[in-house]
Amino acid sequence: MIHIARRLSGPQLRALFIAALVGLIAGVGLLIATEARAQPAATAFASDRLSVEVIGAGPDVILIPGFASSREVWRPLAERLSATHRVHLVQLAGFAGEPWRHGDGPFLQPALDELARYAATLDRPAVIGHSMGGLSGLMLAQQRPELISRVMSVDSLPFFSVLYGPQVTVETARLYAEQTARGMLALDEAAFRAGQQQVAIGMARDEATRAAMVEWSVTSDRRALASAIRDVMLTDAKPRLSTMTTPVWAVYASDADGGAPAAMADAMWSREYAGLPGVRLERVDGSRHFIMADQPERLNELVDAFLAEGR
């Protein structure tokens, strides 16, 4: 996405950005056999903003999917961690078939409030989030640091609209955000699916994973997608980075063959997380946006180190 953006401008770049944000979806867990799954534990937590599936026993880990994603994106990692951890698989309302009841109202902060309410029932969980889920984890650490122990942000930025350029602010992004939300609502199903099929190519290397991504996206409520994308584009978590005390690992992708070149990815993540004291930046090569699908073994290694450091 980044390496393509540097060659485009104007309407082309705006179209790419819209497509890329819409494309922050997942479904690799669709490929995991049902019989291999750990049996989920019931949870008494009730919310119209999210649901949670719990598997395993041990220290608490919350896994948050990204834009339009199903919790299934985390299924392989969750099942692996469940041998030693109690894993909490979040599903955000409106995404991947989860019901949405809030029209075109705000998405991000109400979901964060419910995540905080859930985290308060646990023993200072570690939080791992992908893309928009990574932004959510970062903001949860900023707003309620007493509730969580540490955050891993997977291919996520504190302010996604910098993909327009490092000079972009919340105010200059506002017009694009509104246009993006309106455009998403206006697309018919065939056009939306076709667009997602194109976007998925740049999001993951594996064809089966790409196909699964599209299904999660087209089964999402379009009103929820529009609300979420508007909120994400207008949310800048960078000003509060310098005040954070929660340990943060920022894991990001690099792919010389169709993804972000290493030097460009390094420059962007270093610049965007520069204000966060003690942040640990980890690049994963040979991967596009969905690192858990493209480089699962490497991500497993990083997650193990991340969780071990918190003991």
Side-chain angles (χ1 to χ4, degrees):
M1 176 170 60
I2 299 169
H3 79 294
I4 297 172
R6 64 180 174 176
R7 300 200 300 266
L8 302 177
S9 61
Q12 287 180 311
L13 182 55
R14 289 196 293 275
L16 171 69
F17 186 73
I18 292 168
L21 282 173
V22 174
L24 304 186
I25 55 175
V28 66
L30 189 66
L31 310 177
I32 304 300
T34 301
E35 60 268 23
R37 297 178 182 174
Q39 292 299 312
T43 173
F45 184 78
S47 171
D48 62 355
R49 293 286 179 172
L50 56 89
S51 63
V52 185
E53 177 189 330
V54 184
I55 60 174
D60 292 307
V61 181
I62 296 176
L63 302 180
I64 310 173
F67 180 78
S69 292
S70 166
R71 62 164 61 94
E72 296 301 317
V73 70
W74 288 122
R75 184 66 61 181
L77 176 63
E79 291 180 349
R80 178 178 170 276
L81 288 178
S82 67
T84 54
H85 291 75
R86 183 166 60 156
V87 183
H88 307 262
L89 287 143
V90 170
Q91 178 64 62
L92 296 173
F95 291 171
E98 188 88 351
W100 176 252
R101 305 179 179 90
H102 303 285
D104 60 356
F107 188 102
L108 189 55
Q109 188 59 53
L112 280 170
D113 292 341
E114 291 297 270
L115 281 168
R117 188 165 69 88
Y118 185 72
T121 69
L122 309 178
D123 183 15
R124 298 195 72 237
V127 175
I128 301 174
H130 176 237
S131 196
M132 191 184 90
L135 175 62
S136 298
L138 198 68
M139 294 176 68
L140 187 59
Q142 290 180 344
Q143 296 178 13
R144 299 295 304 274
E146 76 281 6
L147 296 180
I148 62 177
S149 61
R150 56 204 310 99
V151 173
M152 176 181 279
S153 165
V154 178
D155 217 46
S156 177
L157 293 166
F159 182 35
F160 275 94
S161 286
V162 297
L163 294 173
Y164 278 120
Q167 77 287 349
V168 172
T169 66
V170 169
E171 286 308 310
T172 58
R174 192 170 301 280
L175 177 61
Y176 297 148
E178 295 299 336
Q179 290 175 338
T180 301
R182 288 195 300 269
M184 185 171 296
L185 292 169
L187 290 173
D188 63 35
E189 185 174 346
F192 185 66
R193 178 181 285 274
Q196 289 306 288
Q197 289 169 340
Q198 290 300 311
V199 166
I201 295 171
M203 294 290 135
R205 299 171 63 96
D206 179 67
E207 290 185 7
T209 299
R210 294 171 185 170
M213 289 181 197
V214 174
E215 295 310 310
W216 300 133
S217 184
V218 299
T219 57
S220 295
D221 189 303
R222 207 77 68 79
R223 297 169 304 167
L225 295 182
S227 295
I229 207 168
R230 182 191 297 112
D231 284 0
V232 169
M233 291 177 69
L234 297 178
T235 297
D236 185 359
K238 286 197 297 182
R240 297 181 65 177
L241 291 179
S242 63
T243 68
M244 292 179 65
T245 57
T246 304
V248 175
W249 288 31
V251 178
Y252 59 99
S254 168
D255 180 24
D257 182 23
M264 182 171 291
D266 287 345
M268 176 167 281
W269 258 259
S270 296
R271 182 187 72 225
E272 297 306 307
Y273 281 95
L276 179 54
V279 64
R280 178 163 169 174
L281 300 177
E282 292 283 352
R283 192 183 75 227
V284 177
D285 295 325
S287 179
R288 297 179 189 174
H289 186 55
F290 285 84
I291 298 173
M292 69 286 286
D294 288 345
Q295 292 294 337
E297 293 183 3
R298 177 57 179 148
L299 185 61
N300 286 344
E301 292 173 357
L302 290 170
V303 168
D304 288 348
F306 165 76
L307 294 175
E309 190 176 86
R311 291 174 187 160

